[in-house]
Amino acid sequence: MRQGFSRTLSPVTLVLYSRIRCHLCEDMHLQLEELQGEYGFELVVRDVDTHPDWASAYGDEVPLLFAEDVEICRYFLDLERLKAHISRGVSS
């Protein structure tokens, strides 16, 4: 039996920094969309090329996934770290 986290905890808001035409970014975005229903997190996608501060801060280190100010992973989705973070219900 699967147990989702969304029914008992406030949703976690994840921020994915990415860029257009980045296959790693597209892959992570698709994976997160697939997991969203099961884990109940909110997903905000930010294109680093649309904001100079994001481009300066993250440059070529995308995709980069955060929950508030905590880095979850970069380049590839770390599912175990994501699950652990969601289970703690860090965001409100």
Side-chain angles (χ1 to χ4, degrees), residues 2-33:
R2 279 189 174 167
Q3 180 179 352
F5 297 101
S6 62
R7 292 174 183 85
T8 58
L9 298 174
S10 297
V12 171
T13 299
L14 301 178
V15 177
L16 175 62
Y17 289 93
S18 67
R19 62 177 15 118
I20 295 173
R21 290 183 290 283
C22 164
H23 73 280
L24 294 177
C25 301
E26 292 168 3
D27 289 347
M28 188 181 292
H29 189 184
L30 287 173
Q31 290 174 309
L32 290 167
E33 285 182 332

Side-chain angles (χ1 to χ4, degrees), residues 4-14 39-42 67-68 70 72 81-92:
F5 297 101
S6 62
R7 292 174 183 85
T8 58
L9 298 174
S10 297
V12 171
T13 299
L14 301 178
Y39 294 101
F41 53 81
E42 302 288 332
E68 296 189 1
V70 177
I72 303 298
R81 187 149 184 220
L82 175 62
K83 286 180 184 180
H85 193 83
I86 290 172
S87 71
R88 289 193 297 266
V90 173
S91 294
S92 52

